[in-house]
Amino acid sequence: MAAMAGGHSAPRAPSEEEKAFLTSPPIRKLVEGAIKTNGGSDLTISELDPVLMTTQVVAGTNYKVKYHIGDEKYVHAKIFEPLPCYADEQKPEVSHFEMNKSKKDKL
């Protein structure tokens, strides 16, 4: 199902291209920073694997992502990626974040 402006797509596994973006050094730094500032400062992040996601097309793309961070630990992050034409003025950002999620939690 294709993403529509205003609505999120159905949850699905990320493509290889999406995984590359969602684990790229700048995005990894944003997500790890969100973990640290949301009570995970003593948490060991053994991996950062996007296992489930949705997208929403706006003036860029909102990604809702379930990351596996090691053991049975998961976090949910909403990441905004601006359109390429705005890349000079706007950078990707984590606009919402949730700690202490499980594999069974809905995204």
Side-chain angles (χ1 to χ4, degrees), residues 3-103:
M4 300 180 327
H8 271 271
S9 65
R12 60 180 172 75
S15 68
E16 289 304 313
E17 182 179 320
E18 290 164 332
K19 274 189 173 191
F21 169 72
L22 295 169
T23 59
S24 66
I27 300 303
R28 184 177 183 92
K29 184 176 180 179
L30 288 172
V31 173
E32 288 177 348
I35 290 170
K36 300 295 183 200
T37 60
N38 283 280
S41 58
D42 60 341
L43 189 63
T44 300
I45 304 164
S46 61
E47 61 184 279
L48 189 64
D49 182 27
V51 295
L52 192 64
M53 62 171 280
T54 67
T55 56
Q56 177 187 36
V57 177
V58 288
T61 303
N62 281 320
Y63 297 88
K64 282 186 184 176
V65 186
K66 177 182 289 214
Y67 282 100
H68 181 225
I69 60 170
D71 298 323
E72 293 299 316
K73 296 181 178 114
Y74 293 81
V75 297
H76 291 178
K78 185 175 181 182
I79 299 165
F80 174 70
E81 179 187 28
L83 291 170
C85 62
Y86 298 118
D88 290 338
E89 300 96 41
Q90 284 184 295
K91 300 294 179 210
E93 65 180 356
V94 174
S95 59
H96 185 77
F97 191 81
E98 297 178 48
M99 291 283 293
N100 303 317
K101 294 298 180 179
S102 73
K103 186 175 185 176

